[in-house]
Amino acid sequence: LVLRANYAYYHTLVTMASGVLKGLECIAPLVRSVEETLEPIPTAVQGTIPSWIRGNLLRNGPGKFEFGNTHYNHWFDGMALLHQFKIQEGEVTYRSRFLQSDSYRKNSEKDRIMVSEFGTLALPDPCQNFFQRFLSRFEMIKPTDNASVSFVKYKGDYYVSTETNLMHKVDPETLASIEKVDWSKFVAVNGATAHPHCDPDGTVYNMGNSYGSKGALYNIVRVPPEKKDSTDSLQGATVLCSIMPANKSHPSYYHSFAMSENYVVFIEQPIKMDLLKIVTCKLRGKGLSEGIYWDPKQDTVFHLVDKKTGQASSVRYHTKAISTFHQINAFEEDGFLMLDMCCSEDGQAINNYLIQNLRKSGDALDQVYNEMTRVFPRRFVLPLGVTSDTQSNQNLNTRPDSLATCLKTGQDKVLCQHEDLHGDDLLDYGGLEFPQINYGQNNTRPYRYFYGCGFRHLVGDSLLKMDLKDKSLKVWQQQGFYPSEPVFVPSPDAVDEDQGVILSVVLTPSQDKGTFLLVLDAQTFEELGRANVPVNIPYGFHGTFNPTA
């Protein structure tokens, strides 16, 4: 159902005055621990799921938020629960499995939180004596292998990933963990994002920080597509380029990066990490998240790195303080690089996703939401041919119909102002996050459509399709239901960019076992079918579609 008409009804339940929402529904059931479903179970299909869809929708996210009497503080801390929706011949089965990480096993064995996560510090073992517990405060926190953010692919194999140096190779058919893989065994990085980018030949690029005696470095890593044997994982990975932070002891936090045909684009944003606070968090009895802060006095800076040479451009592209978690796309055309991102004027959202906030109700829940800044899609236009001869203080953007500006303001410095990739109607849906495109066809290339979730709540409450040709919007929304990140699957005979389907897992806090896999026609955004799942599923983060023969 395309429920634009339902917005009037929705508006009577959630009053809006000057952008302030009231009467938000409590979504606490969407962030509760659930049981895993190890064996595939059938679903009840309504409507029609196209028979050409053959494969697994793989999803990742937190599924267990406590062990014994110990509870996690932050949404990102929950134990990774992997989900598989197997689609074939118009039917769907569902299964799930907790990632058998070291963190999960240690916590399970002791029935208490033994491994620190992003927002939760593991307390000393009560079985130790006083002196042992005291000394444990001076130990460094070990990185978690609780890979709860996304499914990623290297050399044809699927991995689940978080933002530490540890991933798990998994079997997409059984969801079983095959092998724990440590990035630092292959390249000198202390972590890697859960959002790598892939070239058409299978070469994968990612980013990760390294920390040494001289401070922090941002590193761009390249993983070759060739697999030497069945045991190969990240062999052959190299650091393509290292970038020095503006402040080595306070580097930027980043969740992802952008990539065009010839460049990796690193976004150095004013979400900062206080390394001293992070290193001493155990001594101070604080979680790692306490060391991350927003500094609106600093610019956001775009760094361009040539994928062929590994050289970073001497030109730095500046804009005002913005934060970004997810990029939409980046492409080069007519001597410019277009950088499309989901952006916010504030970088404190990461600290708002405490479990206690997500479980609030009434006025307290409304307050949490209304104090957060909305996220909107924007385009920055970066001129690639800037030299010492380039004229200063005039708009270098000569692209017709583009409202973005870029001015050379000093030696190797360009000041950029974005243009909005949306009309005013997006305001009614709370902005857009979890952006997706037809990645196989249009990543690093000019494109017309992108998809995402609208956020009139702390989690997505609508599915959106944006047409960049006229910035028009198509919407799927159903009162009381909360869809996950949309995944685009192209039809096998696709001619048009948007010819295919959108897959999204839709949850509801008001019905027990009310989850369903939604299938939309990506062109019309009308519902084709849904597969009702007879178990409860928590709201997750990211996923991918694994096609099968």
Side-chain angles (χ1 to χ4, degrees), residues 361-372:
S361 61
D363 292 343
L365 174 60
D366 295 344
Q367 181 178 350
V368 171
Y369 177 82
N370 289 318
E371 287 178 352
M372 294 175 64

Side-chain angles (χ1 to χ4, degrees), residues 240-257:
L240 176 68
C241 178
S242 296
I243 299 170
M244 190 177 299
N247 184 334
K248 287 188 174 183
S249 63
H250 292 250
S252 291
Y253 168 82
Y254 54 94
H255 182 71
S256 59
F257 61 99

Side-chain angles (χ1 to χ4, degrees), residues 425-472:
D425 52 353
L426 184 57
L427 301 175
D428 294 336
Y429 298 97
L432 183 148
E433 250 290 5
F434 290 149
Q436 291 286 314
I437 62 171
N438 183 343
Y439 192 94
Q441 176 181 309
N442 292 98
N443 186 51
T444 76
R445 301 180 182 95
Y447 69 114
R448 179 174 173 179
Y449 303 104
F450 65 93
Y451 313 88
C453 286
F455 272 77
R456 285 176 61 87
H457 210 300
L458 296 181
V459 297
D461 73 332
S462 61
L463 291 170
L464 308 175
K465 176 186 179 180
M466 189 70 68
D467 186 343
L468 290 175
K469 186 176 181 180
D470 57 6
K471 298 182 180 178
S472 62

Side-chain angles (χ1 to χ4, degrees), residues 29-86:
L30 307 188
V31 282
R32 299 288 188 195
S33 298
V34 299
E35 299 295 325
E36 59 189 355
T37 305
L38 295 175
E39 297 300 323
I41 59 174
T43 65
V45 174
Q46 294 175 252
T48 301
I49 295 178
S51 59
W52 60 260
I53 308 175
R54 296 185 62 87
N56 303 317
L57 174 64
L58 304 172
R59 292 273 304 156
N60 197 351
K64 186 172 178 62
F65 299 96
E66 67 282 312
F67 286 91
N69 295 322
T70 57
H71 301 260
Y72 289 114
N73 298 322
H74 201 284
W75 193 21
F76 298 173
D77 299 344
M79 292 292 97
L81 181 61
L82 315 183
H83 309 265
Q84 178 208 75
F85 296 82
K86 179 178 284 295

Side-chain angles (χ1 to χ4, degrees), residues 36 109-110 139 222 315 326:
E36 59 189 355
E109 287 168 5
K110 298 289 187 179
E139 297 172 355
R222 179 163 56 194
V315 178
H326 302 110

Side-chain angles (χ1 to χ4, degrees), residues 192-446:
T193 80
H195 293 287
H197 278 293
C198 185
D199 268 344
D201 68 353
T203 301
V204 179
Y205 295 82
N206 206 338
M207 287 198 62
N209 284 2
S210 58
Y211 305 102
S213 58
K214 296 182 180 180
L217 289 173
Y218 310 121
N219 302 289
I220 297 167
V221 178
R222 179 163 56 194
V223 181
E226 301 85 11
K227 193 174 182 180
K228 296 179 180 178
D229 55 55
S230 60
T231 63
D232 192 345
S233 56
L234 298 175
Q235 282 82 349
T238 56
V239 173
L240 176 68
C241 178
S242 296
I243 299 170
M244 190 177 299
N247 184 334
K248 287 188 174 183
S249 63
H250 292 250
S252 291
Y253 168 82
Y254 54 94
H255 182 71
S256 59
F257 61 99
M259 187 176 83
S260 67
E261 181 181 0
N262 294 297
Y263 297 94
V264 170
V265 185
F266 169 58
I267 300 111
E268 189 174 19
Q269 60 186 352
I271 303 178
K272 297 296 181 179
M273 299 187 293
D274 186 326
L275 296 186
L276 180 60
K277 282 189 175 181
I278 290 173
V279 168
T280 61
C281 63
K282 196 170 185 180
L283 179 63
R284 296 181 299 108
K286 301 290 186 179
L288 290 168
S289 59
E290 296 282 335
I292 296 179
Y293 66 99
W294 168 246
D295 185 356
K297 297 186 296 296
Q298 296 193 33
D299 283 354
T300 295
V301 182
F302 307 127
H303 300 262
L304 270 57
V305 175
D306 190 302
K307 289 159 63 177
K308 295 183 179 66
T309 66
Q311 293 296 311
S313 171
S314 61
V315 178
R316 299 287 189 265
Y317 302 87
H318 290 244
T319 191
K320 65 180 182 179
I322 58 168
S323 68
T324 179
F325 279 80
H326 302 110
Q327 287 72 54
I328 305 168
N329 199 5
F331 63 93
E332 300 156 43
E333 196 172 61
D334 301 328
F336 297 93
L337 189 151
M338 271 54 69
L339 175 60
D340 297 350
M341 313 188 299
C342 291
C343 303
S344 171
E345 302 290 336
D346 192 305
Q348 300 184 79
I350 194 171
N351 293 319
N352 290 329
Y353 279 97
L354 301 175
I355 293 173
Q356 65 178 14
N357 286 344
L358 290 163
R359 291 177 178 171
K360 286 180 176 179
S361 61
D363 292 343
L365 174 60
D366 295 344
Q367 181 178 350
V368 171
Y369 177 82
N370 289 318
E371 287 178 352
M372 294 175 64
T373 306
R374 306 284 82 79
V375 177
F376 291 98
R378 295 173 175 176
R379 171 170 292 176
F380 292 88
V381 177
L382 312 183
L384 295 174
V386 176
T387 68
S388 57
D389 296 327
T390 301
Q391 189 167 348
S392 298
N393 297 314
Q394 73 172 27
N395 187 12
L396 303 177
N397 181 14
T398 56
R399 290 175 58 83
D401 303 321
S402 174
L403 300 178
T405 63
C406 43
L407 292 81
K408 181 182 176 184
T409 59
Q411 183 69 26
D412 292 334
K413 181 177 179 180
V414 175
L415 184 63
C416 301
Q417 173 64 36
H418 71 271
E419 65 175 306
D420 292 331
L421 294 182
H422 63 88
D424 290 343
D425 52 353
L426 184 57
L427 301 175
D428 294 336
Y429 298 97
L432 183 148
E433 250 290 5
F434 290 149
Q436 291 286 314
I437 62 171
N438 183 343
Y439 192 94
Q441 176 181 309
N442 292 98
N443 186 51
T444 76
R445 301 180 182 95

